[in-house]
């Protein structure tokens, strides 16, 4: 058995007499699959090459399958995928697959395209059926909220809304639809709300009157848009308290929000749940109604009466 130490101090890959690879230092693993292949090209076997051809030709499917499935498609021994993963510096194939998923989402951007996301979901649905796969994905995404979001997180949001003069909302991607829904519900609950998502041509006028007594609530799924980041910077300059409800891919907001709830909407290739952020938004609005000393309840009653009078044919 032998190992060689690089100048940086990280351990390069070596081999036991039986041909088994020695683990690399995790810090030495590059961020892209192409770099990983290039870095280890001299030690790859024929089976490794066949496996990598399968992975590169269909990266979305490769990121979803386990080692045996990938090996079967490549026509190699079932353990070959595990050997490849270890040769590339991972503890096993699950870690290598996690790298492939991260590479797609954060670096390759393949899942930023609707066609790629749909193809990945169809791959996931092949085993259990489409509807069952979607339901399992939604349930799993909702279950993880139990451990990632607390009542204190919800109370932090509702307390900030209750203390504000006005609430500005801005949604990114599918967050536009949720921001619109939140805006309508808060408005019916008697709060002064401005949904900026569909008013981009009027943003200068709207933002000019934003003050430190207001709240900015950002709703962001996937990569934050340049407009969202600019609005956040303006809010920071004006000392406007900022809340953010995002998925994990949309969590990189700079400057950082004052309060931030970031949740997974589903794993790579799964249905990206809109129910998860909607559930959190509903919890915030419900908590607000329970703590604002009847303000929401009175406003909702007034709204109900107003709507009934508009529909009264006797008028």
């Amino acid at each position: 058995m032998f190992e060689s130490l690089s100048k940086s101090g990280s351990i390069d890959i070596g081999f036991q007499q039986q041909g088994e690879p020695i683990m690399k230092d995790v810090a030495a693993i590059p961020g892209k699959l192409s770099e990983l292949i290039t870095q280890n090209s001299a030690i790859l076997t024929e089976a490794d090459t066949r496996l990598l051809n399968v992975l590169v030709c269909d990266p979305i499917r490769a990121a979803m399958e386990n080692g045996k499935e990938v090996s079967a498609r490549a026509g190699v021994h079932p353990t070959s995928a595990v050997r490849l993963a270890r040769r590339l510096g991972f503890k096993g194939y699950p870690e290598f697959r996690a790298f492939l998923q991260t590479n797609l989402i954060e670096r390759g951007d393949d899942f930023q395209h609707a066609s790629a996301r749909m193809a990945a979901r169809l791959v996931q649905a092949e085993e259990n059926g489409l509807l069952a796969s979607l339901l399992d994905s939604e349930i799993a995404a909702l279950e993880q909220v139990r451990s990632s979001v607390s009542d204190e997180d919800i109370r932090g949001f509702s307390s900030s809304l209750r203390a504000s003069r006005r609430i500005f909302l801005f949604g990114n991607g599918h967050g536009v639809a949720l921001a619109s829904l939140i805006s309508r519900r808060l408005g019916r609950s008697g709060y002064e709300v401005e949904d900026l998502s569909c008013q981009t041509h009027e943003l200068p006028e709207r933002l000019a009157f934003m003050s430190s007594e207001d709240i900015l609530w950002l709703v962001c799924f996937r990569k934050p848009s340049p407009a969202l980041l600019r609005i956040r910077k303006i809010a920071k300059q004006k000392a406007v308290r900022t809340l953010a409800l995002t998925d994990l891919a949309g969590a990189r907001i700079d400057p950082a929000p004052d309060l931030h709830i970031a949740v997974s909407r589903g794993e790579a290739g799964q249905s990206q749940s809109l129910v998860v952020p909607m559930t959190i938004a509903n919890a915030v609005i419900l908590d607000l109604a329970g703590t604002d000393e009847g303000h929401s309840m009175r406003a909702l009653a007034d709204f109900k009466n107003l709507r009934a009078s508009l529909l009264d044919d006797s008028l």
Side-chain angles (χ1 to χ4, degrees), residues 132-144 265-266 270-277:
S133 175
L134 288 173
L135 289 172
D136 289 343
S137 178
E138 290 283 353
I139 292 170
L142 282 168
E143 281 294 336
Q144 61 84 30
R265 295 194 297 130
Q270 291 183 335
S271 174
Q272 296 300 291
S273 174
L274 293 176
V275 176
V276 167

Side-chain angles (χ1 to χ4, degrees), residues 38-59:
T38 301
Q39 186 182 83
N40 296 281
S41 60
I43 61 173
L44 296 177
T45 66
E46 181 179 349
D48 293 337
T49 302
R50 294 172 67 176
L51 284 165
L52 288 170
N53 283 335
V54 167
L55 298 177
V56 172
C57 289
D58 195 347

